[in-house]
């Protein structure tokens, strides 16, 4: 059983060339390259962070985790109030750092080694190549703290593909409609 406790959407201006995305959808490359010369702040990060709980029958313990999806956004030049979004990767990690929680986390999210004795020679390499070619996804192995990461060499999104229309926005509240029709309501969080 998995339940989401909180979802945050962090947005900040990209003002330094070092913060520019490495991989960009082909439909946005020209615009992003123009932006990288200016670093005007039109491009923004658009990270989605969700805290969640997983209850496993094996461990009989609720494990808390954090999933972060990394994305960028640019204003769509053809639709006022529309932000074009593209996702570049993400991480999933345990929220609790104690040894018992990390062990339980790795038991659930660690990648068990499948029995490959039945596979023909080169099957593992073929699977990895298909993942890289078809998705452009590169996954990172689980680390000592239980974090698993990935990045997309062919990011998902771009103008007309993945976007949010800003319906209302003031200093504390933002209401957006996603490309699939979902409505999102965000309240500004203040962190001390």
């Amino acid at each position: 059983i998995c339940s989401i406790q909180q979802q945050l959407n962090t947005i900040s201006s990209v003002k330094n060339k070092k913060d520019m995305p490495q991989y960009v959808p082909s439909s946005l490359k020209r615009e992003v390259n123009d932006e990288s010369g200016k670093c005007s702040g039109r491009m923004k990060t658009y990270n989605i962070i969700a805290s969640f709980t997983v209850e496993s029958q094996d461990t009989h313990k609720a494990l808390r985790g954090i999933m972060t999806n990394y994305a960028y956004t640019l204003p769509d030049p053809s639709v006022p109030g529309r932000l074009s979004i593209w996702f570049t990767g993400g991480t999933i990690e345990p929220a609790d750092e104690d040894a018992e929680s990390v062990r339980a986390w790795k038991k659930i999210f660690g990648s068990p080694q499948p029995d490959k004795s039945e596979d023909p020679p080169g099957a593992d390499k073929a699977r990895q190549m298909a993942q890289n070619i078809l998705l452009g996804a590169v996954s990172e192995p689980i680390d000592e703290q239980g974090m698993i990461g990935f990045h997309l060499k062919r990011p998902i999104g771009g103008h007309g593909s993945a976007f949010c229309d800003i319906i209302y926005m003031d200093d504390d509240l933002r209401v957006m409609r996603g490309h699939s029709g979902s409505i999102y309501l965000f309240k500004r969080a203040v962190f001390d």
Side-chain angles (χ1 to χ4, degrees), residues 28-150:
L28 294 175
K29 280 187 180 181
R30 181 175 175 200
E31 201 169 339
V32 169
N33 288 337
D34 288 348
E35 184 70 15
S36 69
K38 302 173 205 164
C39 289
S40 67
R42 284 179 356 109
M43 182 185 305
K44 298 188 181 337
T45 63
Y46 189 86
N47 302 329
I48 299 171
I49 304 164
S51 62
F52 63 92
T53 302
V54 175
E55 295 179 42
S56 169
Q57 292 178 353
D58 294 344
T59 62
H60 301 289
K61 179 182 178 187
L63 296 173
R64 297 180 324 122
I66 300 170
M67 181 175 65
T68 305
N69 290 303
Y70 299 109
Y72 292 87
T73 183
L74 275 170
D76 188 318
S78 60
V79 181
R82 177 169 287 176
L83 300 175
S84 295
I85 301 165
W86 70 98
F87 293 90
T88 60
T91 59
I92 185 169
E93 62 188 299
D96 300 314
E97 298 176 358
D98 62 279
E100 182 184 344
S101 294
V102 171
R103 259 193 312 281
W105 178 272
K106 286 180 176 181
K107 185 175 180 182
I108 293 172
F109 291 99
S111 53
Q113 295 299 319
D115 179 13
K116 296 179 184 175
S117 60
E118 304 277 324
D119 284 354
D124 192 44
K125 188 173 183 176
R127 275 191 290 272
Q128 187 72 314
M129 188 168 34
Q131 175 186 0
N132 290 340
I133 291 171
L134 297 175
L135 302 174
V138 178
S139 59
E140 299 155 12
I142 192 167
D143 71 10
E144 289 299 314
Q145 291 77 35
M147 180 187 285
I148 305 165
F150 71 95

